[in-house]
Amino acid sequence: MALSRPSLQLAPKFRISYTKLLQGQAPSQISPNEDPNGFYSNLLVLDINREFLEAELNRISKEACLGPLKSVLNSSFLAYFTIARDAQPEDVRKANALETLIIFTKCLLAKNFTGWEVMEVFAGGTNQSDSFFKLFTHVVETTLVNPAVQATVRHQALQLALIFMCGVGQLSPGAYFLRKDLYPSLVLFIKSPETDQYTFEAVLLLAILANFHKSDAAKLNPYLKRIRETNDRDLMGKICWASNFALDATVKAYQAIHDDDVTPTFVSTLGYVFTSLRPDRALASKPVDPPRELFKEQPIEACVILLPIYEFIKSNATFCEVLREQITTSADISSKTTPLPITLLSLSSYLLTHATSTSSPRSLAYANLSLSCLLALSENDDLMEGFSQPWTGTIRLCRQRLPLMPGPRPGRPPICAMLDCCVLWLRHNLHRRLEVNSYGHCIWICHRLIWYLSKTQARLEYEWKEFWSALLGLLSFFATKFDSLYTTGGVENLIRETIVLLELCLAESSNFLPTPHALHEFVYELVRSTSTLDKQATLLQTLSIPHSPRKSSRTTVTENAAALLSSILSTVHFYEQKITDARARSANQAMKVLAREIDRDGLHGSKEGHELVPPQRSDDVLGFSRYACQDGLALM
């Protein structure tokens, strides 16, 4: 006798119900003896088979969601939100309703609906969307702040809102979460001892909400106003704690791929010996970069916390005060916790080193965001005062690509690490497809740092030769590759800004370079690059600033670049002639000539100091929102 195939009725009720429901059958067809509310209520008592439900939802086509399954999806969403609103805090149906909504929302939004299609699938159409999303946001808000609801269930409400906002991106339904100001609820959620472990996701949701249609709705976005005006230090502390943990994990992910610890250990030394024996490295006379493809998936998704960090640094004075306090109060060498500003510098070094080496738009987007963070830091004088104080520990920076930066000395002020990050960007990202905007940010960070150091006359002990080499290397790149660059424009202004920075360094050298020898080295590097600097004059003659009826701050700063370059060349040619006249035949002899001339007569051609305060240039990171949403979904 042949065995009969198992009937559908032998499958668990959960599978049976959703199989029929997602085939388009109404609740009244599936369970004739129950009203629709009773059907959904009883369904939510059952244990959720997440894997099965996700597979069923992913199998459905976009067309089916907008066609034969639309009414079923509409009724399901409405029923689940209603039950999530009305069920008692301890009722399992509340938790199961939110979990089911999370699964539905994530799977359906992955089908790339348009804005109106989202309203069709979720609410039933534009006519019903107002009442539906009012219910949606009400459920999220009341669940987040209800202390009678278990922390895990409150976390589900947070995840649901985050998945929805990441899933819709900049589509119009996201505006419903601007109508309902969730900021007070998110703050209570973050500060509650029962739910503070979920601070990362709450802060990310806040940043996603703040960046919704940021360019055209800034005055209408309540979250931007809240971020700008809040002075809740307890909230800031929680944000710093969660962000620091996430960024530290991101740094460790880079280091797990290639251990670049500057301090050799037996294990690391042994590992290097075995690595050097690989056929492709055995005959190498110098260290070899690790394969770039190893880093193609970096940074990990936790790095998305950079977005809210940037928003708070740029907009909130209290947050910057907290960051400064973290540096000063954590300077005790016995402290085992690295403060957020130091972790941020460490991460930035990895992001900027690998930004363009993997040809990943995502890694480049994160590098751009880190540059924006550094720019916002550099434009805050109070923070720079904290960054200029000695740091008792060592700030570990990326040493995963050649040429390596010198090993950092303990006790260096964090501002040195900021300069290092800029050098790493300048050094490792020169390509014909030049990231002009990012280079502009980097040059302006350097400009702000040099201006601050000269203003405060902080004679910084730093590896200045690395800085001059990177800066002059950029100008050399312009001189040799300008005609073959592939960019979206702006190279002309970048050249001008680099020259303006170089002239600022020369004019203010006596205020920030630590010793006369450091000045001699600077002038020597300039003389060595005479041909490169001469070529910049030729470039400037062929370039013109694009006409604009309204002058930008950048145009104002750079419009006299030709005159500034002429001043630089006057100094360089003067000392070049002195070296030639002395018939110096080695670097040491040339340095002695420079030292004699400068020590006797001072720096030739030096002018009065630059008194003007550089304009603010930190701006909105509008293009990053897409990657923030992608990584936010990946974390869910």
Side-chain angles (χ1 to χ4, degrees):
M1 178 179 178
L3 294 174
S4 61
R5 297 175 61 189
S7 65
L8 188 62
Q9 285 72 21
L10 295 179
K13 184 179 178 180
F14 183 92
R15 295 171 63 98
I16 295 173
S17 299
Y18 276 108
T19 297
K20 293 182 177 181
L21 198 64
L22 297 178
Q23 287 174 349
Q25 296 187 40
S28 58
Q29 296 173 286
I30 301 171
S31 185
N33 297 326
E34 293 180 306
D35 62 69
N37 290 335
F39 169 80
Y40 285 110
S41 182
N42 290 331
L43 188 56
L44 290 176
V45 175
L46 305 175
D47 290 337
I48 296 175
N49 186 335
R50 186 182 185 110
E51 183 178 353
F52 166 78
L53 185 55
E54 287 178 343
E56 289 296 300
L57 289 167
N58 290 333
R59 179 182 54 82
I60 299 171
S61 67
K62 176 180 177 180
E63 292 71 25
C65 293
L66 293 165
L69 294 181
K70 178 187 165 184
S71 61
V72 168
L73 295 174
N74 295 161
S75 62
S76 297
F77 273 117
L78 183 59
Y80 294 145
F81 274 114
T82 303
I83 294 171
R85 179 193 64 190
D86 298 338
Q88 293 299 309
E90 69 281 359
D91 192 334
V92 69
R93 293 176 300 169
K94 179 183 285 289
N96 283 350
L98 290 170
E99 182 69 14
T100 305
L101 286 167
I102 287 172
I103 298 170
F104 267 69
T105 300
K106 186 172 184 179
C107 293
L108 293 178
L109 290 181
K111 301 184 188 297
N112 296 318
F113 294 121
T114 63
W116 74 264
E117 288 172 341
V118 170
M119 289 186 276
E120 290 286 336
V121 172
F122 280 69
T126 54
N127 292 334
Q128 296 79 29
S129 61
D130 282 0
S131 60
F132 173 82
F133 284 105
K134 184 177 181 180
L135 173 62
F136 189 159
T137 55
H138 173 77
V139 167
V140 170
E141 179 189 40
T142 55
T143 307
L144 283 175
V145 299
N146 190 345
V149 177
Q150 291 182 351
T152 54
V153 180
R154 294 165 70 184
H155 180 218
Q156 287 176 313
L158 172 65
Q159 286 184 309
L160 176 59
L162 185 55
I163 287 171
F164 180 80
M165 287 305 299
C166 288
V168 298
Q170 299 294 307
L171 298 178
S172 56
Y176 287 104
F177 277 82
L178 268 62
R179 294 186 186 180
K180 186 73 168 180
D181 185 3
L182 293 178
Y183 184 87
S185 302
L186 289 171
V187 171
L188 286 174
F189 183 90
I190 291 170
K191 296 174 66 175
S192 170
E194 294 79 20
T195 52
D196 63 357
Q197 61 184 305
Y198 309 118
T199 294
F200 175 95
E201 290 151 287
V203 175
L204 176 57
L205 175 59
L206 179 59
I208 296 292
L209 292 167
N211 278 271
F212 182 79
H213 281 256
K214 193 173 185 179
S215 60
D216 56 4
K219 295 181 180 179
L220 304 176
N221 191 316
Y223 303 100
L224 287 172
K225 186 173 184 291
R226 297 282 199 170
I227 289 174
R228 184 170 58 251
E229 296 179 353
T230 185
N231 57 5
D232 189 334
R233 286 177 171 268
D234 290 339
L235 173 66
M236 307 297 181
K238 290 289 182 69
I239 293 174
C240 289
W241 165 75
S243 302
N244 198 35
F245 185 85
L247 296 190
D248 184 61
T250 308
V251 172
K252 285 183 169 58
Y254 277 102
Q255 294 169 349
I257 295 173
H258 176 67
D259 186 3
D260 57 346
D261 190 354
V262 70
T263 305
T265 64
F266 174 76
V267 174
S268 63
T269 303
L270 188 63
Y272 177 78
V273 170
F274 282 118
T275 302
S276 66
L277 294 177
R278 283 173 39 182
D280 60 333
R281 300 190 176 192
L283 299 179
S285 59
K286 297 181 180 180
V288 180
D289 276 339
R292 296 178 181 183
E293 62 268 17
L294 294 177
F295 300 95
K296 66 180 180 180
E297 301 299 329
Q298 300 304 307
I300 60 174
E301 290 83 358
C303 193
V304 73
I305 200 67
L306 268 182
L307 181 60
I309 291 173
Y310 173 72
E311 295 296 343
F312 275 93
I313 292 174
K314 178 176 176 290
S315 306
N316 190 279
T318 304
F319 187 78
C320 292
E321 290 175 8
V322 171
L323 291 183
R324 177 179 173 175
E325 290 171 4
Q326 284 195 349
I327 296 176
T328 56
T329 59
S330 299
D332 180 7
I333 199 167
S334 63
S335 177
K336 295 182 179 179
T337 303
T338 302
L340 176 60
I342 303 301
T343 307
L344 177 58
L345 293 176
S346 181
L347 172 64
S348 295
S349 72
Y350 287 88
L351 293 174
L352 299 175
T353 295
H354 295 289
T356 59
S357 63
T358 61
S359 301
S360 164
R362 177 178 172 273
S363 65
L364 180 59
Y366 272 103
N368 290 337
L369 180 56
S370 72
L371 284 170
S372 294
C373 288
L374 295 180
L375 179 56
L377 290 173
S378 71
E379 292 181 341
N380 186 304
D381 286 355
D382 289 336
L383 267 174
M384 285 301 96
E385 184 178 348
F387 273 59
S388 298
Q389 304 306 310
W391 175 254
T392 53
T394 298
I395 303 175
R396 183 168 172 182
L397 301 177
C398 182
R399 293 170 56 81
Q400 294 177 330
R401 290 189 63 189
L402 300 174
L404 299 179
M405 292 288 288
R409 295 174 287 101
R412 289 201 320 167
I415 198 170
C416 292
M418 290 187 72
L419 288 168
D420 283 345
C421 288
C422 292
V423 170
L424 288 170
W425 171 266
L426 294 171
R427 178 179 285 179
H428 294 301
N429 298 282
L430 284 176
H431 306 288
R432 281 191 170 90
R433 193 172 296 279
L434 191 68
E435 297 297 330
V436 175
N437 187 62
S438 300
Y439 267 88
H441 275 64
C442 183
I443 291 298
W444 194 246
I445 294 167
C446 297
H447 189 115
R448 288 289 308 197
L449 295 180
I450 297 298
W451 174 83
Y452 177 82
L453 290 170
S454 62
K455 183 189 75 167
T456 58
Q457 296 190 350
R459 300 183 184 280
L460 189 66
E461 291 285 349
Y462 179 68
E463 296 77 12
W464 287 109
K465 187 174 181 180
E466 303 291 333
F467 185 76
W468 311 135
S469 175
L471 204 58
L472 292 167
L474 177 61
L475 290 175
S476 176
F477 181 81
F478 292 145
T480 58
K481 305 293 184 183
F482 182 81
D483 292 335
S484 60
L485 292 180
Y486 300 96
T487 73
T488 56
V491 180
E492 300 89 346
N493 214 50
L494 177 56
I495 295 174
R496 291 186 174 92
E497 290 187 341
T498 307
I499 291 170
V500 170
L501 169 59
L502 193 62
E503 195 276 336
L504 173 67
C505 292
L506 189 59
E508 299 293 334
S509 56
S510 61
N511 289 327
F512 70 88
L513 290 179
T515 62
H517 180 71
L519 175 58
H520 305 158
E521 282 191 331
F522 180 26
V523 176
Y524 176 70
E525 292 298 325
L526 290 175
V527 172
R528 285 183 61 205
S529 302
T530 300
S531 61
T532 293
L533 294 171
D534 285 334
K535 290 177 182 177
Q536 305 308 308
T538 304
L539 275 178
L540 289 180
Q541 290 175 359
T542 62
L543 302 176
S544 61
I545 298 175
H547 173 72
S548 173
R550 178 182 176 185
K551 279 189 176 182
S552 68
S553 61
R554 293 196 173 203
T555 300
T556 303
V557 171
T558 60
E559 59 187 0
N560 61 340
L564 296 178
L565 177 61
S566 178
S567 175
I568 296 172
L569 288 173
S570 173
T571 300
V572 171
H573 290 154
F574 174 83
Y575 288 113
E576 183 183 38
Q577 186 62 47
K578 292 294 183 182
I579 293 172
T580 301
D581 293 344
R583 298 181 179 181
R585 297 185 178 182
S586 68
N588 286 336
Q589 290 176 350
M591 283 286 289
K592 288 179 180 180
V593 173
L594 292 175
R596 183 176 63 251
E597 293 290 333
I598 295 173
D599 292 346
R600 184 186 64 210
D601 301 326
L603 184 64
H604 176 78
S606 61
K607 298 181 180 180
E608 294 293 328
H610 293 233
E611 296 180 357
L612 293 178
V613 178
Q616 299 278 319
R617 292 192 182 173
S618 56
D619 51 14
D620 294 326
V621 287
L622 301 176
F624 186 77
S625 180
R626 176 164 64 97
Y627 297 99
C629 290
Q630 289 176 1
D631 285 353
L633 282 174
L635 289 166
M636 297 296 103

